[in-house]
């Protein structure tokens, strides 16, 4: 028996000591917690779902999906695929999602370039260039490498966005949103939509309850239905209170966001900037800019030292 395996008490069976996949190497059976794909994720491999980490030594092709509780590392390129990771996502040769690809990481997302992709990161995003992407990041977005370009799309970050160049001479619309927790905002939006569904259901239950209570001499069957409707109403009422409490907790969390800042060597019009609830547009080419809220709560463009 090898790594992450143990012998049974009678010595006749091997037992996995951890989740993973089984491998026979150097004369021993082992349980490996990182799933390694030697080539591409394509029709020969199919979609992947794994409790540990996944390392792909080739590319991830159009339409395929990877789900991992650990880190996902791709040594090639990623096309219009979907990758979800409970850790970090690291792509060595970049991604063009063709407006269909998605990256969802509980940790960081790292790639030399990201194009036409929806990106969601629980921590930070690092990319040499970010072109026409929608990015949601609970930390900082870094595009300040040698290329360091952000063009097009909407980028939302809690703390900061740091790049060499934002926008381009052609005036491609780029939107930057700071000072919010993107994942909290998206959760809040989802809770509000679900609360409306709960309200609609409660309204229907109220009408049915009122109708049955208005009847004289209810039969046992209708009395039983009335009791079930009243029980359902109380369950939905408790659910509504829970939804409201979660929304209040999110609002309190958003209030804790500290200073949010944009730093870049060049920013082009027409870049729209929103910091917390304050918005402005860049109307002229600005060099060495540091953009943040001043003491009066207005967006201020300062010289980057």
């Amino acid at each position: 028996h090898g790594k992450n395996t143990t012998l049974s008490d009678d010595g006749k069976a091997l037992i996995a000591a951890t989740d993973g996949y089984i491998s026979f190497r150097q004369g021993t059976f082992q349980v490996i917690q990182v799933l390694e794909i030697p080539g591409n994720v394509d029709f020969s491999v199919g979609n992947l779902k794994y409790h540990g980490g996944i390392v792909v030594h080739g590319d991830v092709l159009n339409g395929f999906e990877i789900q991992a509780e650990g880190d996902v590392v791709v040594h090639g390129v990623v096309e219009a695929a979907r990758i979800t990771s409970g850790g970090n996502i690291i792509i060595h040769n970049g991604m063009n999602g063709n407006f269909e690809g998605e990256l969802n990481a509980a940790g960081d997302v790292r790639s030399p370039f990201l194009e036409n992709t929806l990106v969601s990161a629980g921590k930070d995003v690092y990319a040499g260039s970010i072109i026409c992407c929608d990015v949601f990041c609970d930390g900082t977005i870094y595009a300040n490498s040698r290329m360091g370009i952000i063009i097009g799309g909407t980028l939302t970050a809690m703390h900061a966005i740091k790049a060499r160049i934002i926008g381009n001479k052609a005036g491609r619309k780029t939107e930057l949103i700071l000072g919010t927790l993107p994942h909290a905002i998206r959760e809040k939006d989802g809770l509000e939509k679900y609360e409306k569904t709960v309200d609609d259901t409660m309204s229907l239950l109220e009408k049915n309850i009122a109708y049955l209570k208005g009847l004289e001499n209810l039969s046992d069957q209708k009395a039983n239905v009335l009791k079930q409707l009243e029980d359902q109403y109380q369950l939905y009422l408790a659910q509504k209170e829970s939804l409201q409490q979660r929304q209040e907790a999110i609002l309190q969390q958003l209030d804790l966001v500290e200073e949010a800042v944009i730093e870049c060597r060049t920013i082009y019009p027409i870049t729209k900037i929103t910091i917390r609830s304050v918005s402005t547009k860049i109307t002229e080419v600005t060099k060495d800019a540091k953009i943040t809220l001043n003491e009066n709560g207005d967006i201020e463009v300062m010289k980057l030292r």
Side-chain angles (χ1 to χ4, degrees):
H1 66 94
K3 183 179 179 181
N4 294 325
T5 65
T6 59
L7 280 171
S8 61
D9 291 338
D10 60 9
K12 294 182 178 180
L14 280 176
I15 300 171
T18 183
D19 288 338
Y21 75 99
I22 196 164
S23 173
F24 187 77
R25 297 182 180 179
Q26 298 178 343
T28 64
F29 285 100
Q30 306 173 31
V31 175
I32 309 299
Q33 289 181 291
V34 175
L35 175 63
E36 294 195 33
I37 306 300
N40 298 334
V41 175
D42 53 19
F43 286 105
S44 67
V45 173
N47 296 327
L48 299 173
K49 186 174 182 179
Y50 186 60
H51 292 296
I54 295 177
V55 176
V56 179
H57 291 277
D59 304 329
V60 183
L61 303 189
N62 288 332
F64 289 93
E65 184 171 357
I66 294 176
Q67 298 180 53
E69 292 182 6
D71 293 348
V72 175
V73 179
V74 180
H75 287 277
V77 300
V78 178
E79 298 179 352
R82 179 179 297 176
I83 300 177
T84 301
S85 166
N88 305 312
I89 296 175
I90 301 169
I91 303 171
H92 284 240
N93 288 334
M95 176 173 183
N96 186 336
N98 197 26
F99 299 105
E100 294 181 357
E102 292 185 23
L103 301 177
N104 298 283
D108 297 336
V109 171
R110 296 173 179 266
S111 178
F113 68 86
L114 296 167
E115 296 183 12
N116 310 319
T117 300
L118 175 63
V119 181
S120 177
K123 293 184 179 178
D124 299 325
V125 173
Y126 301 84
S129 64
I130 302 174
I131 311 296
C132 297
C133 293
D134 287 340
V135 181
F136 300 89
C137 169
D138 280 358
T140 296
I141 298 172
Y142 296 94
N144 52 358
S145 63
R146 187 171 63 178
M147 184 175 291
I149 299 172
I150 294 174
I151 302 174
T154 301
L155 284 71
T156 305
M158 182 174 74
H159 292 304
I161 296 175
K162 299 184 179 184
R164 289 187 64 251
I165 300 172
I166 297 175
N168 63 1
K169 294 180 181 179
R172 184 65 179 264
K173 183 180 178 181
T174 305
E175 184 171 3
L176 309 178
I177 303 171
L178 287 99
T180 65
L181 283 164
H183 288 83
I185 292 293
R186 295 171 80 182
E187 182 185 356
K188 181 175 176 295
D189 290 344
L191 290 172
E192 289 175 349
K193 290 179 181 178
Y194 187 62
E195 185 179 359
K196 186 180 183 305
T197 301
V198 171
D199 287 338
D200 292 343
T201 304
M202 290 177 66
S203 177
L204 182 61
L205 287 170
E206 286 173 348
K207 291 178 181 179
N208 290 333
I209 290 170
Y211 170 75
L212 289 173
K213 283 186 173 181
L215 297 177
E216 296 182 1
N217 302 320
L218 284 179
S219 65
D220 290 343
Q221 182 180 8
K222 288 184 177 179
N224 186 46
V225 171
L226 176 60
K227 177 65 168 58
Q228 291 178 357
L229 292 175
E230 289 175 334
D231 289 344
Q232 288 180 24
Y233 184 86
Q234 291 302 316
L235 288 173
Y236 277 104
L237 184 62
Q239 193 172 42
K240 181 178 174 67
E241 292 175 355
S242 177
L243 288 169
Q244 291 175 337
Q245 290 174 0
R246 178 57 188 154
Q247 289 179 65
E248 290 175 4
I250 290 173
L251 289 174
Q252 292 175 0
Q253 190 178 13
L254 294 174
D255 289 337
L256 298 176
V257 175
E258 298 177 354
E259 181 186 18
V261 63
I262 297 169
E263 295 180 359
C264 62
R265 292 300 174 186
T266 306
I267 184 167
Y268 289 94
I270 48 174
T271 299
K272 181 181 179 181
I273 296 171
T274 301
I275 302 180
R276 296 185 182 174
S277 59
V278 183
S279 297
T280 190
K281 287 184 179 179
I282 300 298
T283 57
E284 60 184 23
V285 178
T286 305
K287 300 285 188 178
D288 298 325
K290 179 180 180 180
I291 306 168
T292 187
L293 288 181
N294 61 24
E295 294 178 355
N296 297 323
D298 299 320
I299 294 177
E300 183 176 358
V301 181
M302 298 176 288
K303 197 73 173 176
L304 184 62
R305 296 177 180 177

